[in-house]
Every structure is written in C-alpha cells, then in structure tokens.
Amino acid sequence: MEMMTDPIFYCVAVPAILLVGISKGGFAGSLGMLGVPLLALLISPVQAAAIILPILCLMDIFGIIAYRKKFHLKNLLYLLPGAFVGIGLGTLLFDQLNEDIVRIVIGSVAVLFTLNYWLNPLAKQSVHQPSLARGSFWGGISGFTSFVAHAGGPPLQFYMLPQKIDKTLFVGTATWFFLAINYVKLIPYAYLGQLSTQNLSTSLILFPLAPIGIWLGVKLHKMVPEQIFYKLAYFLLVVTGGKLLFDGLNGLLNFF
C-alpha cells in the first residue's frame, strides 16, 4: 500500500490525532478542531481532512460506547436535518470552495461568540431552550464546516452552550451528532476521490491512536468539574477560532 512515509509528518500527526481523540472523548471539545490545521502545516488541508475522516469514524464508535445513553434527543432531531443539507452544499461547492475564506468565517464567528459571552453579562445569565430554527441553522453551518475541514464543533457549540445543560449530556449529544454526519460524509468524500489508497493507508497506520485518545478524553472529562468544563470550552473556542482566523487571513495575503 502507498502511504505517507515522511517521519516529520508522523511527528505532527500522532499528537494531532491524540488531541482529536481527547476532544472526542469529552474533554475540551474545540481542541479537536486543531487536527486538520496541524496536519495542514505539512500537507494540503483537503488531504489532511481526507486522512482524518476514517479515524474520526472509528473514534465515533468508541465515543458512542462511552456515551451511548447520554444524549438530548430533541436537539439531535433539530440539528441533524440541517447538518445533512450543509454536507450536501459542501459537496456541490467542493471545487469552488476557498478554504481560507471558510477558515475566516468560522474563526470570526467563534471569536465574536466567545467575546460576547465574556463581555456581555446578559449572555452569561440567559439560558436558551432547544429551538428548531436555531438548531436547523447552526446544524447546517456545522455540517458544511465539518465537510470542509472537520470544523463542525464551533457552530454546534454556538447552539448548545447557551442551553447550559449537564456537561455529560452535552458531550453525549455532540458524540451522536458527529457520528451521524461523519459516516454520511464518507459518501461524498469517496465520490470526490478523497479516499485514495494513500490517504486510507495512512489513516490505517494512525488507527491505534483512536482508542487511546478517546480513553484519555473520557478520563479527563470525569475529572473536570462542570463549571471548569464550560470555562475551558469557551477558552478553547476562542483560541481555535483565533487560529483559524489567523490561518485564513495569512492564506489570503499569500494568495494575493
């Protein structure tokens, strides 16, 4: 099988996949967004996303085992239809997508959302209820950004965090949500030729890291109190948003 053989690639890929697994296991959800940007330091973002997708699908199975009875059904019913539409839109626009603009949009919204939470006292006090309109909108954005760069976390958090539900219920709902959309994403990824022999064989080499990362994430999730969990979630959201914003602006400047 043809696979990535550059040792420097694996020096970056191993910690990147572990970070994604820790995020999938329920600790610091936004941390998983760093997977594609880290690999994109050495390979194209498109190839990085293709290598990570089968690993995400494996992680989702381990995640469901850990959180199989913890999910908010109404939120899933509101989120998933829009997410599937977002994946379809990403598929249709695949050849026209400018990844840097997508990064800028995601990063800007993530940073503004977190700053509003930190600086606006009313944002901290208000508690939102599940909403079909908001769920469909943010689910669609999450499906689209997840298709492009596995960056569906921030839009989901924009919808879920203001509900201030139990942290384990929050993580379980996110786990079921991403299991559904990641397996659906396999279809357009295969159709678009992204699941090549090289990409799949590289994914296979990295597969053993999936259960290790999930196990670490579950352990950390149980150890961290709920108040700290939410503070950390917002902090990592603004950090990853800033990273995406920086990468997108830098890419556009280099392009021009």
Side-chain angles (χ1 to χ4, degrees):
M1 292 188 298
E2 183 184 7
M3 65 186 71
M4 299 289 295
T5 57
D6 184 357
I8 298 177
F9 168 80
Y10 289 99
C11 288
V12 175
V14 169
I17 299 303
L18 286 175
L19 287 175
V20 173
I22 290 171
S23 170
K24 283 280 187 182
F27 182 74
S30 296
L31 203 63
M33 280 181 55
L34 297 177
V36 171
L38 283 173
L39 292 188
L41 296 173
L42 300 172
I43 59 178
S44 76
V46 173
Q47 186 180 17
I51 289 172
I52 288 178
L53 179 58
I55 303 171
L56 290 176
C57 291
L58 180 62
M59 287 179 176
D60 288 330
I61 295 174
F62 288 105
I64 288 300
I65 293 173
Y67 297 102
R68 59 190 177 276
K69 296 181 180 179
K70 298 287 185 178
F71 60 90
H72 197 288
L73 181 60
K74 183 178 288 188
N75 275 321
L76 288 174
L77 293 176
Y78 289 164
L79 286 162
L80 284 172
F84 296 146
V85 172
I87 293 171
L89 182 62
T91 304
L92 292 174
L93 298 177
F94 179 77
D95 291 331
Q96 287 77 41
L97 284 175
N98 184 310
E99 294 169 347
D100 292 317
I101 292 178
V102 173
R103 289 190 181 103
I104 291 170
V105 171
I106 301 171
S108 298
V109 176
V111 171
L112 291 174
F113 176 81
T114 309
L115 290 178
N116 178 66
Y117 175 80
W118 284 344
L119 302 177
N120 182 3
L122 295 178
K124 292 185 178 182
Q125 296 172 6
S126 62
V127 178
H128 291 181
Q129 297 299 316
S131 162
L132 177 60
R134 290 198 305 271
S136 299
F137 175 77
W138 288 117
I141 300 297
S142 182
F144 180 77
T145 55
S146 180
F147 175 85
V148 174
H150 306 317
L156 180 66
Q157 288 179 304
F158 301 155
Y159 172 70
M160 293 285 294
L161 284 177
Q163 296 182 30
K164 299 181 181 178
I165 61 176
D166 171 76
K167 66 171 184 174
T168 302
L169 192 62
F170 177 98
V171 172
T173 303
T175 300
W176 280 97
F177 175 76
F178 284 113
L179 175 125
I181 66 173
N182 283 334
Y183 275 88
V184 168
K185 277 155 52 179
L186 287 171
I187 300 171
Y189 267 59
Y191 172 76
L192 295 167
Q194 297 305 303
L195 301 181
S196 64
T197 302
Q198 182 187 50
N199 291 342
L200 286 175
S201 57
T202 304
S203 300
L204 185 62
I205 294 296
L206 297 169
F207 265 8
L209 298 172
I212 298 173
I214 291 288
W215 179 81
L216 288 171
V218 171
K219 287 293 184 182
L220 289 169
H221 175 83
K222 293 178 179 178
M223 293 168 57
V224 177
E226 188 160 314
Q227 187 176 10
I228 296 176
F229 171 86
Y230 273 95
K231 287 182 179 179
L232 187 60
Y234 276 107
F235 172 74
L236 289 170
L237 184 61
V238 75
V239 169
T240 50
K243 167 66 175 168
L244 287 171
L245 187 57
F246 174 81
D247 288 346
L249 291 171
N250 188 53
L252 283 183
L253 289 173
N254 290 336
F255 176 79
F256 292 112

